[in-house]
Amino acid sequence: MFDRVNWDRVWEATQETVYMTTISVAITFVLGIILGLLLFLTSKGNLLQNKFFNSIIAAIVNIFRSIPFIILIVLLIPVTRAMLGSIIGANAALPALVVGAAPFYARMVEIGLREIDKGVIEAAKSMGARTTTIIWKVLIPESMPAIVSGITVTAIAIVSYTAMAGFVGAGGLGNLAFLDGFQRNNWQVTFISTVVILIIVFIIQFIGDLLTNKLDKR
């Protein structure tokens, strides 16, 4: 059974998928929190209310969140080539993965911040806390369950993005399923690639749920 599967290639592709996912999630986590905080803080009635700045950030987030990922990869080819000198391989997929995922995650962070009781923020302000103190001592700790839950959902989306990126030469399990599975009519490779992707998704979901439950004190 599965005699047509090259397990060394499966292991190599799995490592590439895990690499792309890990690096992309780490960068997306940082960028998403920054963008989410800016969206929240500059919105009406909040600490740094600024309609113009908020509109600019919201427009950028909405534009990149709306572009289908497979099209985004193609649009970013000149940028990727300029940054990395190549559009082939796991590293070449990273810019598109981050640009595609960070706006999506930023909106989830913003939603998490909006769920914070405004009374807690007002109490911190009344005690003379500066904006940076409120961000680090109130906003981020209070929204941490939503932040972790959001990055879990985003990480799973990134896994699916890496599979799509494989179709344009990024490597990983998507590339293996397409080149060795679909194009060579080898359903065993396609099946194994799918199973490994599902296992990665289940592991991410398990870890995310575990962390969210530990952080959620309600």
Side-chain angles (χ1 to χ4, degrees):
M1 195 171 183
F2 300 120
D3 55 306
R4 298 180 63 195
V5 176
N6 182 334
W7 293 102
D8 289 337
R9 280 286 298 129
V10 172
W11 175 239
E12 182 185 348
T14 302
Q15 287 179 304
E16 290 171 348
T17 294
V18 171
Y19 170 77
M20 287 187 283
T21 303
T22 303
I23 300 298
S24 301
V25 167
I27 299 173
T28 296
F29 182 72
V30 175
L31 285 180
I33 288 178
I34 293 171
L35 287 171
L37 278 168
L38 289 173
L39 283 168
F40 175 75
L41 292 171
T42 58
S43 61
K44 187 178 180 181
N46 282 306
L47 296 168
L48 303 175
Q49 179 178 326
N50 186 318
K51 187 177 180 180
F52 175 76
F53 195 59
N54 183 265
S55 299
I56 296 294
I57 299 174
I60 294 171
V61 167
N62 288 340
I63 287 170
F64 284 102
R65 197 168 60 115
S66 303
I67 300 174
F69 183 70
I70 197 71
I71 296 175
L72 185 64
I73 296 176
V74 177
L75 287 174
L76 290 177
I77 282 177
V79 178
T80 303
R81 184 180 285 117
M83 289 176 62
L84 303 170
S86 171
I87 59 170
I88 303 298
N91 284 328
L94 297 178
L97 290 170
V98 172
V99 171
F104 173 74
Y105 180 51
R107 283 297 186 194
M108 302 188 81
V109 171
E110 183 196 14
I111 292 170
L113 292 168
R114 290 189 182 282
E115 291 177 352
I116 298 174
D117 185 353
K118 287 191 178 299
V120 178
I121 301 173
E122 291 301 323
K125 286 168 65 178
S126 67
M127 288 188 288
R130 294 183 297 179
T131 300
T132 52
T133 304
I134 294 174
I135 290 172
W136 288 108
K137 300 292 186 182
V138 178
L139 295 180
I140 291 180
E142 289 291 326
S143 63
M144 190 52 75
I147 287 174
V148 173
S149 177
I151 197 62
T152 303
V153 174
T154 307
I156 291 171
I158 287 176
V159 173
S160 69
Y161 289 171
T162 65
M164 282 188 273
F167 283 76
V168 290
L173 292 161
N175 183 264
L176 182 70
F178 179 65
L179 290 182
D180 291 14
F182 176 72
Q183 289 199 334
R184 296 180 181 175
N185 196 28
N186 185 346
W187 71 268
Q188 294 182 4
V189 170
T190 305
F191 177 76
I192 291 297
S193 299
T194 305
V195 169
V196 176
I197 289 173
L198 288 174
I199 290 171
I200 293 172
V201 167
F202 288 156
I203 291 172
I204 292 172
Q205 188 66 62
F206 174 77
I207 295 172
D209 289 345
L210 194 67
L211 290 174
T212 302
N213 291 334
K214 281 186 176 295
L215 291 167
D216 195 347
K217 304 301 181 185
R218 291 173 294 181

CSV table of all heavy atoms in Angstrom, one decimal, residues 29-30 33-34 37 40-41 47 113 116 120-121 124 129-144 147:
chain,number,residue,atom,x,y,z
A,29,PHE,N,1.7,37.6,13.3
A,29,PHE,CA,1.3,37.8,14.7
A,29,PHE,C,1.7,39.3,15.1
A,29,PHE,O,0.9,40.0,15.6
A,29,PHE,CB,1.9,36.8,15.6
A,29,PHE,CG,1.6,36.9,17.0
A,29,PHE,CD1,0.3,36.6,17.5
A,29,PHE,CD2,2.5,37.4,18.0
A,29,PHE,CE1,-0.1,36.7,18.8
A,29,PHE,CE2,2.2,37.5,19.3
A,29,PHE,CZ,0.9,37.2,19.7
A,30,VAL,N,2.9,39.6,14.8
A,30,VAL,CA,3.4,41.0,15.2
A,30,VAL,C,2.7,42.0,14.3
A,30,VAL,O,2.2,43.0,14.9
A,30,VAL,CB,4.9,41.0,15.0
A,30,VAL,CG1,5.4,42.4,15.2
A,30,VAL,CG2,5.6,40.0,15.9
A,33,ILE,N,-1.1,42.4,15.2
A,33,ILE,CA,-1.4,43.1,16.4
A,33,ILE,C,-1.1,44.6,16.3
A,33,ILE,O,-1.9,45.5,16.8
A,33,ILE,CB,-0.5,42.6,17.6
A,33,ILE,CG1,-1.0,41.2,18.0
A,33,ILE,CG2,-0.5,43.5,18.8
A,33,ILE,CD1,-0.2,40.5,19.0
A,34,ILE,N,-0.1,45.0,15.6
A,34,ILE,CA,0.2,46.4,15.4
A,34,ILE,C,-0.9,47.1,14.6
A,34,ILE,O,-1.5,48.1,15.0
A,34,ILE,CB,1.6,46.6,14.6
A,34,ILE,CG1,2.7,46.2,15.6
A,34,ILE,CG2,1.7,48.1,14.2
A,34,ILE,CD1,4.1,46.1,14.9
A,37,LEU,N,-4.2,47.2,16.6
A,37,LEU,CA,-4.1,48.3,17.6
A,37,LEU,C,-4.4,49.6,17.0
A,37,LEU,O,-5.1,50.5,17.5
A,37,LEU,CB,-2.8,48.2,18.4
A,37,LEU,CG,-2.7,47.2,19.5
A,37,LEU,CD1,-1.2,47.1,19.9
A,37,LEU,CD2,-3.5,47.6,20.7
A,40,PHE,N,-8.0,50.1,16.1
A,40,PHE,CA,-8.8,50.3,17.3
A,40,PHE,C,-8.5,51.7,17.9
A,40,PHE,O,-9.5,52.5,18.2
A,40,PHE,CB,-8.5,49.2,18.3
A,40,PHE,CG,-9.2,49.4,19.6
A,40,PHE,CD1,-10.6,49.2,19.8
A,40,PHE,CD2,-8.5,49.9,20.8
A,40,PHE,CE1,-11.2,49.4,21.0
A,40,PHE,CE2,-9.2,50.0,22.0
A,40,PHE,CZ,-10.5,49.8,22.1
A,41,LEU,N,-7.3,52.0,18.1
A,41,LEU,CA,-6.9,53.2,18.8
A,41,LEU,C,-7.3,54.5,18.1
A,41,LEU,O,-7.7,55.5,18.7
A,41,LEU,CB,-5.4,53.3,19.1
A,41,LEU,CG,-4.9,52.2,20.1
A,41,LEU,CD1,-3.4,52.2,20.2
A,41,LEU,CD2,-5.4,52.5,21.5
A,47,LEU,N,-8.5,56.2,22.2
A,47,LEU,CA,-7.4,57.0,22.7
A,47,LEU,C,-6.7,57.9,21.7
A,47,LEU,O,-6.3,59.0,22.1
A,47,LEU,CB,-6.4,56.0,23.4
A,47,LEU,CG,-6.9,55.2,24.6
A,47,LEU,CD1,-6.0,54.1,24.9
A,47,LEU,CD2,-7.2,56.2,25.8
A,113,LEU,N,-10.3,43.6,20.6
A,113,LEU,CA,-10.1,44.9,21.4
A,113,LEU,C,-11.4,45.6,21.7
A,113,LEU,O,-11.6,46.1,22.7
A,113,LEU,CB,-9.1,45.8,20.7
A,113,LEU,CG,-7.7,45.3,20.6
A,113,LEU,CD1,-6.9,46.2,19.6
A,113,LEU,CD2,-7.0,45.4,21.9
A,116,ILE,N,-13.4,44.5,24.8
A,116,ILE,CA,-13.0,44.9,26.1
A,116,ILE,C,-14.0,45.9,26.8
A,116,ILE,O,-14.4,46.8,26.1
A,116,ILE,CB,-11.6,45.5,26.1
A,116,ILE,CG1,-10.6,44.5,25.5
A,116,ILE,CG2,-11.1,46.0,27.5
A,116,ILE,CD1,-9.2,45.1,25.3
A,120,VAL,N,-13.0,49.5,32.0
A,120,VAL,CA,-11.6,49.1,32.4
A,120,VAL,C,-10.7,50.2,31.8
A,120,VAL,O,-9.7,50.6,32.5
A,120,VAL,CB,-11.3,47.7,31.9
A,120,VAL,CG1,-9.8,47.4,32.2
A,120,VAL,CG2,-12.2,46.7,32.4
A,121,ILE,N,-10.9,50.5,30.5
A,121,ILE,CA,-10.0,51.5,29.9
A,121,ILE,C,-10.2,52.9,30.6
A,121,ILE,O,-9.2,53.6,30.9
A,121,ILE,CB,-10.3,51.6,28.4
A,121,ILE,CG1,-10.1,50.3,27.7
A,121,ILE,CG2,-9.5,52.7,27.7
A,121,ILE,CD1,-10.6,50.2,26.3
A,124,ALA,N,-8.4,53.0,33.9
A,124,ALA,CA,-6.9,53.2,33.7
A,124,ALA,C,-6.6,54.7,33.4
A,124,ALA,O,-5.6,55.3,33.9
A,124,ALA,CB,-6.4,52.3,32.6
A,129,ALA,N,-3.0,56.8,33.7
A,129,ALA,CA,-2.1,55.9,32.8
A,129,ALA,C,-1.9,56.5,31.5
A,129,ALA,O,-2.8,57.0,30.8
A,129,ALA,CB,-2.8,54.5,32.8
A,130,ARG,N,-0.7,56.4,31.0
A,130,ARG,CA,-0.4,56.8,29.6
A,130,ARG,C,-0.9,55.8,28.6
A,130,ARG,O,-1.2,54.7,28.9
A,130,ARG,CB,1.1,57.0,29.4
A,130,ARG,CG,1.7,58.2,30.3
A,130,ARG,CD,3.2,58.4,30.0
A,130,ARG,NE,3.9,57.2,30.4
A,130,ARG,CZ,5.2,57.1,30.2
A,130,ARG,NH1,5.9,58.1,29.7
A,130,ARG,NH2,5.9,56.0,30.6
A,131,THR,N,-1.0,56.3,27.3
A,131,THR,CA,-1.5,55.4,26.3
A,131,THR,C,-0.7,54.1,26.2
A,131,THR,O,-1.3,53.0,26.0
A,131,THR,CB,-1.5,56.1,24.9
A,131,THR,OG1,-2.3,57.3,25.0
A,131,THR,CG2,-2.0,55.2,23.8
A,132,THR,N,0.6,54.2,26.2
A,132,THR,CA,1.5,53.0,26.1
A,132,THR,C,1.2,52.1,27.3
A,132,THR,O,1.2,50.8,27.1
A,132,THR,CB,3.0,53.4,26.1
A,132,THR,OG1,3.3,54.3,27.2
A,132,THR,CG2,3.3,54.1,24.8
A,133,THR,N,1.0,52.6,28.4
A,133,THR,CA,0.7,51.8,29.6
A,133,THR,C,-0.6,51.1,29.4
A,133,THR,O,-0.8,49.9,29.8
A,133,THR,CB,0.7,52.7,30.9
A,133,THR,OG1,1.9,53.4,31.0
A,133,THR,CG2,0.4,51.8,32.1
A,134,ILE,N,-1.6,51.8,28.9
A,134,ILE,CA,-2.9,51.2,28.7
A,134,ILE,C,-2.8,50.1,27.7
A,134,ILE,O,-3.5,49.0,27.8
A,134,ILE,CB,-4.0,52.3,28.3
A,134,ILE,CG1,-4.2,53.3,29.4
A,134,ILE,CG2,-5.3,51.7,27.8
A,134,ILE,CD1,-5.1,54.5,29.0
A,135,ILE,N,-2.0,50.3,26.6
A,135,ILE,CA,-1.9,49.3,25.6
A,135,ILE,C,-1.3,48.0,26.2
A,135,ILE,O,-1.8,46.9,26.1
A,135,ILE,CB,-1.0,49.8,24.5
A,135,ILE,CG1,-1.7,50.8,23.7
A,135,ILE,CG2,-0.6,48.6,23.6
A,135,ILE,CD1,-0.8,51.5,22.6
A,136,TRP,N,-0.2,48.2,27.0
A,136,TRP,CA,0.6,47.0,27.5
A,136,TRP,C,-0.1,46.4,28.7
A,136,TRP,O,0.0,45.1,28.9
A,136,TRP,CB,2.0,47.4,27.8
A,136,TRP,CG,2.8,47.6,26.6
A,136,TRP,CD1,3.3,48.8,26.1
A,136,TRP,CD2,3.3,46.6,25.6
A,136,TRP,NE1,4.0,48.6,25.0
A,136,TRP,CE2,4.0,47.3,24.6
A,136,TRP,CE3,3.1,45.2,25.6
A,136,TRP,CZ2,4.6,46.6,23.6
A,136,TRP,CZ3,3.7,44.6,24.5
A,136,TRP,CH2,4.4,45.3,23.5
A,137,LYS,N,-0.7,47.2,29.6
A,137,LYS,CA,-1.3,46.7,30.8
A,137,LYS,C,-2.8,46.4,30.8
A,137,LYS,O,-3.3,45.7,31.6
A,137,LYS,CB,-1.0,47.7,31.9
A,137,LYS,CG,0.4,48.1,32.2
A,137,LYS,CD,1.2,46.9,32.8
A,137,LYS,CE,2.6,47.3,33.1
A,137,LYS,NZ,3.4,46.2,33.7
A,138,VAL,N,-3.5,47.0,29.8
A,138,VAL,CA,-4.9,46.7,29.7
A,138,VAL,C,-5.4,46.1,28.4
A,138,VAL,O,-5.9,45.0,28.5
A,138,VAL,CB,-5.7,48.1,29.9
A,138,VAL,CG1,-7.2,47.9,29.8
A,138,VAL,CG2,-5.3,48.7,31.2
A,139,LEU,N,-5.1,46.8,27.3
A,139,LEU,CA,-5.6,46.3,26.0
A,139,LEU,C,-5.1,44.9,25.7
A,139,LEU,O,-6.0,44.0,25.4
A,139,LEU,CB,-5.3,47.3,24.9
A,139,LEU,CG,-5.9,48.7,25.1
A,139,LEU,CD1,-5.5,49.6,23.9
A,139,LEU,CD2,-7.5,48.6,25.1
A,140,ILE,N,-3.8,44.7,25.6
A,140,ILE,CA,-3.3,43.4,25.2
A,140,ILE,C,-3.6,42.3,26.2
A,140,ILE,O,-4.1,41.2,25.8
A,140,ILE,CB,-1.8,43.5,24.9
A,140,ILE,CG1,-1.5,44.4,23.7
A,140,ILE,CG2,-1.2,42.1,24.7
A,140,ILE,CD1,-0.1,44.6,23.3
A,141,PRO,N,-3.4,42.5,27.5
A,141,PRO,CA,-3.8,41.4,28.4
A,141,PRO,C,-5.3,41.0,28.4
A,141,PRO,O,-5.6,39.9,28.4
A,141,PRO,CB,-3.4,42.0,29.8
A,141,PRO,CG,-2.4,43.0,29.5
A,141,PRO,CD,-2.7,43.6,28.2
A,142,GLU,N,-6.2,42.1,28.3
A,142,GLU,CA,-7.6,41.8,28.3
A,142,GLU,C,-8.1,41.1,27.0
A,142,GLU,O,-9.1,40.4,27.1
A,142,GLU,CB,-8.4,43.1,28.5
A,142,GLU,CG,-8.3,43.7,29.9
A,142,GLU,CD,-9.0,42.9,30.9
A,142,GLU,OE1,-10.0,42.4,30.6
A,142,GLU,OE2,-8.5,42.9,32.1
A,143,SER,N,-7.4,41.4,25.9
A,143,SER,CA,-7.8,40.8,24.7
A,143,SER,C,-7.0,39.5,24.3
A,143,SER,O,-7.2,39.0,23.2
A,143,SER,CB,-7.7,41.8,23.5
A,143,SER,OG,-6.4,42.2,23.4
A,144,MET,N,-6.1,39.1,25.2
A,144,MET,CA,-5.2,38.0,24.8
A,144,MET,C,-6.0,36.7,24.4
A,144,MET,O,-5.5,36.1,23.4
A,144,MET,CB,-4.3,37.7,26.0
A,144,MET,CG,-3.2,36.7,25.7
A,144,MET,SD,-2.2,37.2,24.2
A,144,MET,CE,-1.2,38.6,24.9
A,147,ILE,N,-6.8,37.3,20.9
A,147,ILE,CA,-5.6,37.4,20.1
A,147,ILE,C,-5.1,36.0,19.7
A,147,ILE,O,-4.7,35.7,18.6
A,147,ILE,CB,-4.5,38.2,20.8
A,147,ILE,CG1,-4.9,39.7,20.8
A,147,ILE,CG2,-3.2,38.0,20.2
A,147,ILE,CD1,-4.0,40.6,21.6
